[in-house]
Coordinates of all heavy atoms in Angstrom, one line a residue:
V1 N -77.9 66.9 61.1 CA -79.2 66.8 60.5 C -79.4 65.3 60.1 O -80.5 64.8 60.2 CB -79.2 67.7 59.2 CG1 -80.4 67.4 58.4 CG2 -79.2 69.2 59.7
A2 N -78.3 64.7 59.5 CA -78.5 63.3 59.1 C -78.8 62.4 60.3 O -79.6 61.5 60.2 CB -77.2 62.8 58.4
E3 N -78.1 62.6 61.4 CA -78.4 61.8 62.6 C -79.8 61.9 63.1 O -80.4 61.0 63.7 CB -77.4 62.2 63.7 CG -76.0 61.7 63.5 CD -75.0 62.2 64.5 OE1 -75.4 62.8 65.5 OE2 -73.8 62.0 64.2
R4 N -80.4 63.1 62.8 CA -81.8 63.3 63.2 C -82.8 62.6 62.2 O -84.0 62.7 62.5 CB -82.1 64.8 63.3 CG -81.4 65.4 64.5 CD -81.6 66.9 64.7 NE -82.8 67.4 64.2 CZ -83.0 68.7 63.8 NH1 -81.9 69.5 63.7 NH2 -84.1 69.1 63.4
G5 N -82.3 62.1 61.2 CA -83.1 61.4 60.2 C -83.9 62.3 59.2 O -84.8 61.8 58.6
L6 N -83.4 63.5 59.1 CA -84.1 64.4 58.2 C -83.7 64.1 56.7 O -82.6 63.5 56.5 CB -83.8 65.9 58.6 CG -84.2 66.3 60.0 CD1 -83.8 67.7 60.3 CD2 -85.7 66.1 60.1
N7 N -84.5 64.6 55.8 CA -84.2 64.2 54.4 C -83.1 65.1 53.8 O -82.6 66.0 54.4 CB -85.5 64.3 53.6 CG -86.1 65.7 53.5 OD1 -85.3 66.7 53.6 ND2 -87.4 65.9 53.3
F8 N -82.8 64.8 52.6 CA -81.7 65.4 51.9 C -81.9 66.9 51.7 O -81.0 67.7 51.9 CB -81.4 64.7 50.6 CG -80.1 65.2 49.9 CD1 -78.9 64.8 50.4 CD2 -80.1 66.0 48.8 CE1 -77.7 65.3 49.9 CE2 -78.9 66.5 48.2 CZ -77.7 66.1 48.7
G9 N -83.2 67.3 51.4 CA -83.5 68.7 51.2 C -83.3 69.5 52.5 O -82.7 70.6 52.4
R10 N -83.6 68.9 53.6 CA -83.4 69.6 54.9 C -81.9 69.7 55.2 O -81.5 70.7 55.7 CB -84.1 68.9 56.0 CG -85.6 68.8 55.9 CD -86.4 70.1 56.1 NE -86.5 70.7 57.4 CZ -87.3 70.3 58.3 NH1 -88.2 69.3 58.1 NH2 -87.3 70.9 59.5
L11 N -81.2 68.6 54.9 CA -79.8 68.6 55.1 C -79.1 69.7 54.3 O -78.3 70.5 54.8 CB -79.2 67.3 54.7 CG -77.7 67.1 54.9 CD1 -77.4 65.7 55.5 CD2 -76.9 67.2 53.7
V12 N -79.4 69.8 53.0 CA -78.8 70.9 52.2 C -79.2 72.3 52.7 O -78.3 73.1 52.7 CB -79.3 70.7 50.7 CG1 -78.8 71.8 49.8 CG2 -78.7 69.3 50.1
A13 N -80.4 72.5 53.0 CA -80.8 73.8 53.6 C -80.0 74.1 54.8 O -79.6 75.3 54.9 CB -82.3 73.8 53.9
A14 N -79.8 73.2 55.7 CA -79.0 73.4 56.9 C -77.6 73.8 56.6 O -76.9 74.6 57.2 CB -79.1 72.2 57.8
I15 N -77.0 73.0 55.6 CA -75.6 73.3 55.2 C -75.5 74.7 54.6 O -74.5 75.4 54.9 CB -75.2 72.2 54.1 CG1 -75.0 70.9 54.7 CG2 -73.9 72.7 53.4 CD1 -74.8 69.8 53.7
I16 N -76.4 75.1 53.8 CA -76.4 76.4 53.2 C -76.5 77.5 54.2 O -75.7 78.5 54.2 CB -77.4 76.6 52.1 CG1 -77.1 75.7 50.9 CG2 -77.6 78.0 51.7 CD1 -78.2 75.5 49.9
I17 N -77.4 77.4 55.1 CA -77.5 78.4 56.2 C -76.2 78.5 57.0 O -75.7 79.6 57.3 CB -78.7 78.0 57.1 CG1 -80.0 78.2 56.3 CG2 -78.7 78.8 58.4 CD1 -81.3 77.7 57.0
R18 N -75.7 77.3 57.4 CA -74.4 77.3 58.2 C -73.3 77.9 57.4 O -72.5 78.7 57.9 CB -74.1 75.9 58.6 CG -72.8 75.8 59.4 CD -72.9 76.4 60.9 NE -73.9 75.7 61.7 CZ -73.7 74.6 62.4 NH1 -72.5 74.1 62.6 NH2 -74.7 74.1 63.1
A19 N -73.2 77.6 56.1 CA -72.1 78.2 55.2 C -72.3 79.7 55.2 O -71.3 80.4 55.3 CB -72.2 77.5 53.9
E20 N -73.5 80.2 55.0 CA -73.7 81.6 54.9 C -73.3 82.3 56.2 O -72.6 83.4 56.1 CB -75.1 81.9 54.5 CG -75.5 81.6 53.1 CD -77.0 81.7 52.8 OE1 -77.8 81.7 53.8 OE2 -77.4 81.7 51.7
K21 N -73.7 81.8 57.3 CA -73.3 82.4 58.6 C -71.8 82.3 58.8 O -71.2 83.3 59.3 CB -74.1 81.6 59.7 CG -75.5 82.0 59.7 CD -76.2 81.2 60.9 CE -77.7 81.6 60.9 NZ -78.5 80.9 61.9
T22 N -71.2 81.2 58.4 CA -69.7 81.1 58.6 C -69.0 82.1 57.7 O -68.0 82.7 58.2 CB -69.3 79.6 58.3 OG1 -70.0 78.7 59.1 CG2 -67.8 79.5 58.6
V23 N -69.4 82.2 56.5 CA -68.8 83.2 55.6 C -68.9 84.6 56.2 O -67.9 85.3 56.2 CB -69.4 83.2 54.2 CG1 -68.9 84.4 53.3 CG2 -69.0 81.9 53.5
E24 N -70.0 84.9 56.7 CA -70.2 86.3 57.3 C -69.3 86.5 58.5 O -68.9 87.6 58.8 CB -71.6 86.5 57.6 CG -72.5 86.7 56.4 CD -72.0 87.7 55.4 OE1 -71.7 88.8 55.9 OE2 -72.0 87.4 54.2
K25 N -68.9 85.4 59.2 CA -68.0 85.5 60.4 C -66.5 85.5 60.0 O -65.7 85.8 60.9 CB -68.3 84.3 61.3 CG -69.6 84.3 62.0 CD -69.7 83.1 62.9 CE -71.1 83.0 63.5 NZ -71.3 81.7 64.2
T26 N -66.2 85.3 58.8 CA -64.7 85.2 58.4 C -64.0 86.5 58.8 O -62.8 86.3 59.2 CB -64.5 84.8 57.0 OG1 -65.1 85.7 56.1 CG2 -65.1 83.4 56.7
P27 N -64.5 87.7 58.6 CA -63.7 88.8 59.0 C -63.4 88.9 60.5 O -62.4 89.5 60.9 CB -64.6 90.0 58.6 CG -65.5 89.5 57.6 CD -65.8 88.0 58.0
E28 N -64.2 88.3 61.3 CA -64.0 88.2 62.7 C -62.9 87.2 63.1 O -62.2 87.3 64.1 CB -65.3 87.9 63.5 CG -66.4 88.8 63.3 CD -66.0 90.3 63.6 OE1 -65.3 90.5 64.6 OE2 -66.4 91.2 62.8

């Protein structure tokens, strides 16, 4: 996200989405 030049709000949103998806995959 940072390399694409997006702002901090977009970066945080992307981090949260990825974290949520990763947590849901932990049982796998």
Side-chain angles (χ1 to χ4, degrees):
V1 171
E3 287 172 9
R4 290 178 29 210
L6 299 176
N7 67 27
F8 191 71
R10 299 289 289 277
L11 182 138
V12 171
I15 289 170
I16 290 168
I17 290 167
R18 179 73 60 92
E20 289 172 343
K21 288 179 180 179
T22 303
V23 168
E24 291 306 314
K25 291 180 187 176
T26 61
E28 301 305 318

